[in-house]
Amino acid sequence: MASVTSLSDSVHQRLAAALSAALPQAGSADPLLRRSDRADFQANGILALAKKEKANPRELATQVVSRVESGELIKDVEVSGPGFLNVTITDRAITETLAARYADDTGRLGVPLAERPGTSVIDYAQPNVAKEMHVGHLRSAVIGDAVRQLLEFTGESVVRRHHIGDWGTQFGMLIQYLEEHPHELDHKADEASGEEAMSNLDRLYKAARKLFDSDEEFKTRARRRVVDLQAGDPQTLATWQKFVDESKIYFFSVFEKLDMEIHDADIVGESGYNDMLAETCRLLEESGVAVRSEGALCVFFDDIKGPDGNPVPLIVQKSDGGYGYAATDLSAIRDRVFNLKADSLVYVVDARQSLHFKMVFETARKAGWLNDDVKAYQLAFGTVLGKDGKPFKTREGETVRLVDLLDEAIDRASAVVREKAQDLSEEEIAERGAQVGVGAVKYADLSTSANRDYKFDLDQMVSLNGDTSVYLQYAYARIQSILRKAGEARPAAHPELDLHEAERALGLHADSFAATVAEAATEYAPHKLAAYLYQLASLYTTFYDKCPVLKAETPEQIENRLFLCDITARTLHQGMNLLGIRTPERL
């Protein structure tokens, strides 16, 4: 695969060389280049450099300009204000660079791989066994999957981990109930649907809870079951496995509706780290990282204190010998660092768990499991709010089921598609409705910075106007329609042509896709890619309004504008794909 040097990188190289020539003693200096509304690019680096070298910034800027090798890349460089450089590049350079991206037959649009890719473990999409997935599970799944795809696209080796809650005291109650009512999880047919699996689990959970609360003898038997489970009793484990398997039927159905690929091998529950817990505690205690306090094994921190001023510890093992979440999370870190050989651990987890993860990561650093070469990062996300700005609940005040939410989004989107559809069959409307509805939910989540709360407003999400995935999907479908109508004319780059300012703006933005992907991947920030794609679609709309494509003045101009349409469509398609959103060819 041939990676393509972006226009900003090419300009950066020319300016850096001119800076070094004008001020050899400064070594390699950064011209600090960015896009500008005054010209194509603006360089601000001369001000800081002049201050450091005690030179006059405008004079230094003038010297740099005289040393810039322009060639076919740079059309004009002028000094502005106290010593900024405004750089305008040639139309030819824009078209030729895009043509090189267009010619990349790998479909990567000339986006390079990261210079030093490593191995990342991403912990995301974390449902609980025998429990319904609700709106709170949405963000971890959607954000995590987008970050995974961004990292993989840049060449990172990514190990996915779905840390499911599949252990703990409530399983004693469930297992005991199933032992006494063995047909509660039987299926009517060979192939059970996700809905059937969940209603089985739900019914059993409610019945077991009722019995547990009302029958002391059952409660005693259920508590004994917990001990059997933790001791690895084969019969108890076999019954527990039925709950895990039944839950997975349901999980997979929800993730399929979310248009996400989840692999069974990547689902590692709390139980997966069971055999490591005692050793984790031993290592922490022997190294002095954890100490016994009132019988519990605790880690104390200098900077974490409660409202009363007393230290708040991380409890790794309770005084009764039971293990808390911390023991599991620390064992998972050991597994990910030493067995999976990861150098980055990313946890896509609700911001309300930030203190817990801060303590866990700090403990792992004190133990030497994390260091400068192996980092852990919590990609903390905010809450999904209703239109009223309060946490999203049903009218009855219950948390919203994720399935209901997705179904409603698909229904709304199908209505929008049906209204606009000219030549789509009912089957196609249903398929597009699902792609548009699920895309709308994902995009609303991903276009907000993860750490912020966002309002779940379906009317806004499936709107054709504004910053929505539907707007982007329609832009893509409109381009495909133009390409189909082009007849004999084919997209082809013509670097010799002058460009309209709307063509220039679109071309410059299309070229910065590679830089945006690199930034979004490095910062675990899919919202930066979403913002880029919305701007791309907006610039395309302006181009479409101002520059006739199929009715352009000459055959060469028609071909060049079709080329601009096609590279925009490919960029939209690739970018949306990285966010986990489909781009239907017709809408």
Side-chain angles (χ1 to χ4, degrees):
M1 177 214 100
S3 65
V4 175
T5 305
S6 68
L7 291 162
S8 67
D9 282 353
S10 298
V11 172
H12 188 282
Q13 287 162 12
R14 299 282 169 92
L15 292 184
L19 257 174
S20 294
L23 256 187
Q25 67 273 31
S28 57
D30 186 349
L32 297 179
L33 194 70
R34 59 180 180 80
R35 288 296 309 280
S36 165
D37 48 10
R38 305 275 169 84
D40 295 334
F41 297 100
Q42 188 173 69
N44 303 338
I46 288 173
L47 297 179
L49 195 64
K51 192 175 176 187
K52 192 176 145 202
E53 297 294 329
K54 299 190 173 45
N56 177 316
R58 269 194 78 92
E59 282 174 18
L60 178 57
T62 309
Q63 284 177 23
V64 170
V65 170
S66 69
R67 287 174 165 79
V68 172
E69 282 185 33
S70 52
E72 292 190 339
L73 173 67
I74 294 175
K75 183 179 179 183
D76 183 43
V77 188
E78 58 175 31
V79 180
S80 140
F84 301 130
L85 297 183
N86 286 340
V87 183
T88 305
I89 58 176
T90 64
D91 291 353
R92 173 179 284 278
I94 294 173
T95 307
E96 282 180 346
T97 302
L98 290 182
R101 294 198 178 288
Y102 191 73
D104 178 2
D105 55 10
T106 63
R108 291 180 59 87
L109 298 165
V111 177
L113 295 167
E115 280 178 24
R116 286 189 297 280
T119 299
S120 290
V121 174
I122 304 191
D123 190 324
Y124 68 104
Q126 304 112 343
N128 288 311
V129 165
K131 286 193 183 159
E132 187 107 52
M133 287 175 71
H134 55 78
V135 65
H137 290 110
L138 178 68
R139 299 205 73 185
S140 174
V142 169
I143 296 167
D145 203 45
V147 171
R148 169 191 72 76
Q149 298 206 77
L150 276 163
L151 288 177
E152 285 179 350
F153 189 67
T154 62
E156 186 80 358
S157 292
V158 177
V159 182
R160 316 170 192 197
R161 277 291 173 267
H162 311 297
H163 184 91
I164 62 172
D166 66 352
W167 209 242
T169 45
Q170 81 270 21
F171 282 99
M173 174 183 90
L174 295 172
I175 291 165
Q176 189 58 35
Y177 189 85
L178 189 58
E179 288 281 345
E180 295 175 16
H181 304 81
H183 297 293
E184 284 295 308
L185 293 182
D186 291 355
H187 296 146
K188 298 183 187 75
D190 294 343
E191 194 74 13
S193 69
E195 278 292 302
E196 188 193 337
M198 193 61 237
S199 81
N200 270 348
L201 290 163
D202 198 41
R203 190 182 63 248
L204 190 149
Y205 188 89
K206 283 175 179 157
R209 182 90 244 174
K210 193 174 169 188
L211 197 57
F212 187 85
D213 291 341
S214 62
D215 182 337
E216 280 303 318
E217 289 184 358
F218 175 75
K219 189 182 271 190
T220 304
R221 294 197 297 278
R223 287 190 168 142
R224 272 209 301 274
R225 246 336 142 178
V226 180
V227 179
D228 293 343
L229 178 65
Q230 292 179 338
D233 170 56
Q235 172 65 30
T236 304
L237 281 173
T239 307
W240 166 80
Q241 191 61 47
K242 286 180 186 169
F243 284 101
V244 176
D245 293 342
E246 192 77 3
S247 299
K248 281 182 180 176
I249 296 171
Y250 163 69
F251 296 157
F252 284 125
S253 73
V254 179
F255 288 125
E256 193 177 339
K257 189 164 277 198
L258 254 179
D259 197 14
M260 266 176 62
E261 223 181 57
I262 300 282
H263 303 141
D264 198 24
D266 302 326
I267 298 177
V268 182
E270 295 164 333
S271 59
Y273 304 102
N274 240 8
D275 298 345
M276 300 175 70
L277 302 180
E279 192 183 3
T280 296
C281 290
R282 182 179 64 75
L283 291 168
L284 291 172
E285 193 169 9
E286 284 180 3
S287 61
V289 172
V291 293
R292 292 278 165 193
S293 173
E294 296 175 33
L297 186 63
C298 303
V299 183
F300 291 93
F301 307 88
D302 297 337
D303 59 339
I304 301 173
K305 295 188 167 55
D308 54 6
N310 292 329
V312 175
L314 180 70
I315 298 171
V316 186
Q317 190 178 22
K318 301 175 209 159
S319 54
D320 65 2
Y323 299 104
Y325 289 127
T328 310
D329 287 332
L330 287 161
S331 299
I333 289 177
R334 284 176 54 218
D335 177 57
R336 293 165 186 187
V337 173
F338 300 111
N339 296 337
L340 300 175
K341 305 280 187 260
D343 34 47
S344 295
L345 309 179
V346 184
Y347 292 77
V348 189
V349 184
D350 190 319
R352 285 171 292 198
Q353 295 188 45
S354 293
L355 179 62
H356 169 77
F357 277 100
K358 180 183 174 184
M359 293 161 99
V360 165
F361 296 162
E362 184 57 33
T363 301
R365 271 193 291 276
K366 286 180 175 179
W369 305 334
L370 296 175
N371 52 41
D372 290 346
D373 299 325
V374 187
K375 293 186 170 56
Y377 178 75
Q378 184 196 355
L379 179 45
F381 54 81
T383 307
V384 181
L385 307 174
K387 284 186 191 180
D388 58 2
K390 295 183 178 139
F392 200 27
K393 296 269 197 293
T394 62
R395 288 204 183 107
E396 296 76 46
E398 292 172 14
T399 48
V400 180
R401 296 169 67 215
L402 186 48
V403 173
D404 294 344
L405 197 82
L406 297 174
D407 284 342
E408 194 181 340
I410 290 167
D411 287 347
R412 296 278 187 98
S414 300
V416 172
V417 173
R418 177 173 280 109
E419 198 180 304
K420 297 277 289 184
Q422 281 142 12
D423 52 354
L424 297 179
S425 66
E426 275 304 307
E427 196 182 329
E428 286 173 318
I429 289 172
E431 184 200 8
R432 305 292 195 282
Q435 293 178 343
V436 171
V438 171
V441 170
K442 287 184 174 182
Y443 186 84
D445 194 319
L446 294 169
S447 57
T448 309
S449 169
N451 57 13
R452 286 177 43 204
D453 300 343
Y454 81 96
K455 281 187 185 169
F456 196 93
D457 180 349
L458 274 176
D459 294 326
Q460 172 53 34
M461 286 180 192
V462 298
S463 164
L464 292 168
N465 305 313
D467 187 1
T468 65
S469 67
V470 193
Y471 175 68
L472 302 180
Q473 286 168 321
Y474 268 97
Y476 178 81
R478 178 198 277 173
I479 297 173
Q480 296 309 321
S481 167
I482 292 169
L483 294 171
R484 283 194 294 275
K485 287 180 191 153
E488 294 292 299
R490 287 276 164 268
H494 285 278
E496 72 282 1
L497 294 178
D498 290 341
L499 297 177
H500 183 282
E501 77 183 89
E503 293 176 296
R504 288 180 60 87
L506 179 62
L508 279 163
H509 192 66
D511 181 58
S512 62
F513 178 60
T516 305
V517 166
E519 185 182 359
T522 308
E523 297 178 16
Y524 309 130
H527 69 280
K528 294 198 167 177
L529 177 57
Y532 168 87
L533 294 170
Y534 175 60
Q535 199 182 347
L536 183 68
S538 305
L539 289 167
Y540 179 78
T541 303
T542 306
F543 156 78
Y544 181 77
D545 290 345
K546 298 200 168 159
C547 304
V549 177
L550 300 178
K551 293 186 173 162
E553 290 167 15
T554 64
E556 290 77 17
Q557 199 171 42
I558 292 173
E559 288 178 350
N560 200 57
R561 285 182 178 170
L562 282 170
F563 154 71
L564 278 173
C565 288
D566 201 9
I567 195 157
T568 302
R570 290 182 188 191
T571 307
L572 278 171
H573 171 76
Q574 182 59 268
M576 295 284 269
N577 191 35
L578 292 173
L579 298 178
I581 300 173
R582 303 270 173 181
T583 40
E585 301 284 309
R586 293 171 194 264
L587 273 174

